[in-house]
């Protein structure tokens, strides 16, 4: 009876080799899945930036209906939240929660008149500088 208990206790654990094999398998799975996950996160941030720009566009259109023009570049998107002193017909705020930053924590760039239309709104992407490809590419209101 004592021999049976000793045999069980010797075989009831994992060997170091078995643990290493399991750790290698987990490492391979993480190495395969993690890049796919982070690629999807990057795509969703681009979609959020596009949605924010579209929301600004709707607010700017409402601002124009009330005042007769879009805010000047100097006034910026802040004119959608805070009444500019020279706008007697302003009936805002046109954004509920203020002017948000882009998904990467950078401010949107607003220009009126724009190069691509009556106004341009741009997020410079993940890197925060003009140009780039992939997640670093610029996202504009004219796209």
């Amino acid at each position: 009876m004592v021999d049976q208990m000793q045999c069980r206790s010797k075989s009831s654990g994992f060997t170091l080799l078995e643990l290493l094999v399991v750790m290698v398998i987990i490492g391979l799975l993480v190495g395969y899945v993690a890049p796919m996950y982070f690629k999807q996160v990057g795509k969703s941030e681009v979609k959020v930036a596009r949605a924010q720009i579209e929301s600004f566009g709707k607010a700017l259109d409402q601002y124009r209906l009330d005042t007769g023009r879009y805010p000047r570049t100097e006034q910026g998107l802040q004119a959608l939240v805070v009444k500019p002193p020279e706008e007697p017909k302003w009936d805002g705020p046109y954004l509920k929660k203020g002017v948000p930053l882009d998904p990467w924590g950078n401010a949107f760039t607003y220009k009126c008149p724009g190069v691509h239309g009556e106004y341009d709104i741009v997020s410079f992407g993940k890197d925060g500088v003009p140009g780039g490809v992939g997640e670093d590419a610029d996202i504009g209101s004219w796209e």
Side-chain angles (χ1 to χ4, degrees):
M1 189 130 172
V2 173
D3 287 337
Q4 287 179 341
M5 290 183 78
Q6 286 177 349
C7 285
R8 271 192 208 156
S9 64
K10 280 186 178 180
S11 65
S12 63
F14 294 105
T15 65
L16 181 59
L17 182 62
E18 291 170 328
L19 289 174
L20 288 173
V21 168
V22 169
M23 289 175 59
V24 166
I25 291 171
I26 290 172
L28 289 171
L29 287 173
V30 168
Y32 177 73
V33 172
M36 296 174 92
Y37 170 76
F38 287 114
K39 185 177 180 182
Q40 292 302 320
V41 170
K43 285 181 182 178
S44 66
E45 288 172 334
V46 169
K47 287 180 183 178
V48 167
R50 288 187 198 283
Q52 286 176 311
I53 289 172
E54 186 176 324
S55 174
F56 291 144
K58 290 176 183 177
L60 285 165
D61 289 341
Q62 186 63 47
Y63 180 99
R64 185 176 138 207
L65 285 172
D66 290 345
T67 64
R69 62 181 185 79
Y70 291 112
R72 294 187 314 275
T73 301
E74 305 81 49
Q75 294 170 317
L77 294 172
Q78 199 61 34
L80 299 172
V81 180
V82 179
K83 181 182 187 280
E86 66 278 0
E87 290 295 348
K89 295 180 182 177
W90 189 87
D91 193 29
Y94 300 97
L95 294 174
K96 291 181 181 179
K97 297 182 180 180
V99 180
L101 298 174
D102 72 8
W104 302 279
N106 303 313
F108 286 92
T109 301
Y110 171 77
K111 187 176 180 181
C112 181
V115 175
H116 303 280
E118 294 185 75
Y119 61 82
D120 290 346
I121 305 171
V122 182
S123 167
F124 291 121
K126 186 175 183 177
D127 62 357
V129 296
V133 266
E135 291 179 48
D136 295 335
D138 299 347
I139 303 162
S141 56
W142 58 91
E143 297 175 346

